[in-house]
Amino acid sequence: SDPLVKPEEMVNYELGFGYSTNLLKTNLNFYWMNFTNEIVNNGQLDNVGQPINGNAGKSVHRGIEFEFEYDLLAQIYSGIKYKNPILTLNGNLSLSDNYFKEYKEINGVDSLGNIIYGNDYSENKIILNPQIIGNLSLNFNSDFGIGAYITMQYIGKQYLDNSENE
């Protein structure tokens, strides 16, 4: 009747744009999510090694996402029918800001039923949420079912606990 973790609530605002031709497909998306009671990992483990989750008072996730696909050979092979683009360059980039607006760690309840608070992580970054994620891929596909790709990925700095301790 009194769960340790409450349901989270979110208000999400998003605005996106797309552009598409035979050569290029792109999408751009802006988002802003306001959470109340977001269920987050507190960076600690319980007595059997499982991550401990709890509620953060208020938190924000906002950012910009961009993705594209460019057909590198479309102009050379114009007029020739093929099912799949033969050689494409794909990529995406996510720039985000994920932080706690209000988050006081709850360590438990005393014998009178009063909440015992721990550290105050308000304005800190949310763990395991990097500010930058980028991917780039060169893809080869044939109409015979043969394909290959080379890919690179960049993931920005992220924290393993809510203290932002280096």
Side-chain angles (χ1 to χ4, degrees), residues 45-164:
L45 302 176
D46 66 13
N47 58 352
V48 293
Q50 295 297 312
I52 299 172
N53 292 324
N55 293 106
K58 293 182 187 274
S59 55
V60 173
H61 296 261
R62 61 185 177 187
I64 301 169
E65 301 167 325
F66 173 72
E67 64 182 350
F68 75 93
E69 179 179 301
Y70 183 72
D71 187 342
L72 296 168
L73 300 178
Q75 289 182 326
I76 295 171
Y77 289 102
S78 64
I80 299 173
K81 297 278 187 195
Y82 53 90
K83 286 191 279 186
N84 299 310
I86 297 171
L87 191 62
T88 59
L89 183 65
N90 300 41
N92 61 54
L93 178 66
S94 174
L95 305 173
S96 64
D97 189 19
N98 309 288
Y99 64 94
F100 299 113
K101 285 177 79 174
E102 299 171 10
Y103 180 25
K104 285 188 181 178
E105 192 174 49
I106 296 175
N107 288 341
V109 179
D110 66 15
S111 60
L112 299 173
N114 299 316
I115 295 174
I116 301 170
Y117 289 101
N119 297 313
D120 185 353
Y121 296 124
S122 300
E123 303 302 321
N124 283 15
K125 302 286 182 204
I126 299 173
I127 67 172
L128 302 176
N129 280 271
Q131 291 182 311
I132 301 171
I133 299 175
N135 296 287
L136 190 62
S137 180
L138 182 64
N139 304 291
F140 167 78
N141 292 298
S142 75
D143 284 344
F144 307 109
I146 297 172
Y149 65 91
I150 298 172
T151 187
M152 329 190 276
Q153 183 176 57
Y154 175 81
I155 298 177
K157 182 180 188 175
Q158 54 188 316
Y159 294 99
L160 298 177
D161 68 19
N162 294 317
S163 68
E164 292 188 6

